[in-house]
Amino acid sequence: MKRSALAVKDLAAEALAGLLQRPARSLLTMLGTVVGTASLVAILGFTATSAGQISARFTVLSATEVTVTDAGAKTRTVEPVLDFPADADQRAGALNGVVDAGRYWKVPVPPGTQVSARALPAARDARGLDVYAVSPGALRAAHTPVTTGALFDAFHERRAERVALLGAAAAAQLGISRLDSQPAVFVGDDAYTVIGIVGSPQRLPQAGLGVLIPAGTALARYGVPSPDDPAKMLVETRLGSAQLVAGQLPLALRPDAPQLLSAAAPPDPRTLRDSVTADVDSLFLLLAGLALVIGAVGIANTTLVSVMERAAEIGLRRALGARRRHIAVQFVAESGVLGLLGGLAGASIGVLTVVFVALARGWTAVLDPLAVFPAPLVGAVVGLLAGAYPAMRAASIEPVDALRG
């Protein structure tokens, strides 16, 4: 007796005929696989495309900023002192990789001190504004924009001049908008000539909300900072130098006692970028996997319904000599083709999505071939796995029972 066989050509023709019997249902069945593979390709494409953009944004300011804190102030039990040397700005600026550096702190004015634009202010004229001591180097490192007037410089710092800068918000509260009349601001009974009004700095945004006086003036008039709010140094570095500069600063500033100062460098941009993108990608990959599971369930359900609807056809094929494996292979092939077509469509949609979004944002689209080419295979595997159980059900149908029903 000649052994029955199912040629590949016949298998492909039967699988295609089975799918085309109900094209609308076949398209809806593929939808889950299309969504899953499209999400998978798009997520991997967005990851590669946005990596450079994320890295660039992290390194604009944060990756070039180092903060040095007077760590000895909080541990000192005797009378507080300022652990930064008088020439701290110059010492820090001499390090290779440093662009600008300067000290700053919140001035410990006496409790109840009010800030006003009048020498003898009425109660309604007084403002509870903060006063900050800032060295010229800190103003430059913070990228402080000047709205009107000018920043104070090393001359004012060295001579402890009574000059002040006002943040734009503080100037509005005090009613000072012009400097041609040489206005003054009063911190308690102390008068300071306003030489400039500044906007919000890119770093130290709190400085744009208060009164800024030279660090030398603050030391001469109010003494050293409070241990509860110690002095700090803001250091702007060249790109890629922050980690090295942070390690050198305590020793460069206080070679006699570097442990009194603590330098904090920003996180490595690449590490931070990878951490952020990994968290986001894991969430969306989970959603893509869920879409693939939903697609697999849809294919399995549709194939199982098709098996029940075509029970008579299956019985007739068995009666004419088709083996169980032939029936099983046919239905597995149908579900595999559904998955493969869904994977192809999903990969195409994912690629187009990445390209269009990149063009809209002005980015350069980056697509790894290893993220695109396997997508149709992923869809096919999902289809094959989803069709396994319905194929087993189809293969178990007995010809006599099918034809009798």
Side-chain angles (χ1 to χ4, degrees):
M1 181 177 179
K2 185 177 179 180
R3 185 176 182 180
S4 63
L6 184 63
V8 175
K9 181 177 68 173
D10 297 333
L11 174 63
E14 293 293 340
L16 186 60
L19 295 177
L20 293 179
Q21 284 181 1
R22 293 177 176 81
R25 187 168 69 179
S26 298
L27 289 175
L28 292 175
T29 304
M30 286 194 304
L31 187 59
T33 308
V34 170
V35 172
T37 53
S39 301
L40 185 65
V41 172
I43 289 166
L44 296 176
F46 286 141
T47 300
T49 300
S50 62
Q53 304 298 323
I54 294 174
S55 180
R57 294 194 178 191
F58 278 136
T59 57
V60 168
L61 287 176
S62 61
T64 58
E65 178 181 328
V66 174
T67 301
V68 185
T69 304
D70 186 351
K74 291 188 176 182
T75 60
R76 191 173 287 103
T77 56
V78 296
E79 185 175 350
V81 297
L82 182 64
D83 289 315
F84 287 102
D87 60 345
D89 293 15
Q90 290 75 23
R91 292 190 184 190
L95 291 178
N96 187 30
V98 173
V99 177
D100 277 307
R103 300 159 295 160
Y104 69 95
W105 64 87
K106 185 177 179 180
V107 175
V109 297
T113 300
Q114 296 292 323
V115 177
S116 174
R118 300 176 182 272
L120 298 173
R124 66 177 182 275
D125 297 324
R127 299 287 185 270
L129 297 173
D130 291 327
V131 182
Y132 295 96
V134 186
S135 70
L139 292 174
R140 295 191 299 271
H143 291 204
T144 307
V146 179
T147 302
T148 182
L151 302 176
F152 47 71
D153 54 26
F155 173 81
H156 302 99
E157 167 83 5
R158 185 173 59 256
R159 292 176 56 88
E161 295 287 332
R162 293 202 173 190
V163 295
L165 302 173
L166 296 179
Q173 291 188 48
L174 296 172
I176 298 175
S177 59
R178 301 175 58 181
L179 303 181
D180 49 3
S181 61
Q182 296 184 336
V185 61
F186 293 85
V187 180
D189 295 330
D190 297 329
Y192 296 88
T193 302
V194 179
I195 63 171
I197 298 176
V198 300
S200 179
Q202 294 183 20
R203 301 183 176 101
L204 304 182
Q206 68 271 26
L209 305 175
V211 180
L212 312 180
I213 62 176
T217 305
L219 285 173
R221 177 66 186 86
Y222 303 102
V224 299
S226 167
D228 296 328
D229 195 358
K232 296 180 180 180
M233 170 175 277
L234 176 65
V235 182
E236 180 184 10
T237 71
R238 293 184 178 87
L239 190 60
S241 302
Q243 301 288 335
L244 178 62
V245 168
Q248 296 174 342
L249 275 169
L251 186 61
L253 295 173
R254 287 297 302 269
D256 58 324
Q259 71 277 5
L260 296 177
L261 301 176
S262 174
D268 179 29
R270 182 176 301 174
T271 303
L272 187 57
R273 180 199 68 196
D274 293 344
S275 175
V276 172
T277 54
D279 291 341
V280 175
D281 292 346
S282 60
L283 173 62
F284 284 104
L285 286 173
L286 179 63
L287 295 177
L290 181 61
L292 286 174
V293 171
I294 294 173
V297 172
I299 292 176
N301 181 65
T302 302
T303 307
L304 191 58
V305 171
S306 179
V307 168
M308 292 185 291
E309 290 178 348
R310 296 161 63 184
E313 175 192 335
I314 295 171
L316 180 59
R317 289 177 183 274
R318 291 291 311 279
L320 293 176
R323 301 293 185 89
R324 292 179 184 272
R325 64 176 182 274
H326 298 156
I327 302 299
V329 168
Q330 177 184 339
F331 281 93
V332 168
E334 289 183 13
S335 60
V337 170
L338 278 177
L340 179 63
L341 293 177
L344 286 170
S348 302
I349 293 173
V351 170
L352 291 175
T353 301
V354 173
V355 172
F356 286 149
V357 171
L359 289 176
R361 300 300 299 270
W363 298 349
T364 300
V366 178
L367 284 166
D368 188 350
L370 294 178
V372 178
F373 292 151
L377 297 179
V378 171
V381 170
V382 169
L384 292 173
L385 294 176
Y389 175 70
M392 292 172 59
R393 286 287 302 272
S396 65
I397 295 177
E398 294 295 337
V400 176
D401 295 336
L403 292 174
R404 183 185 299 123

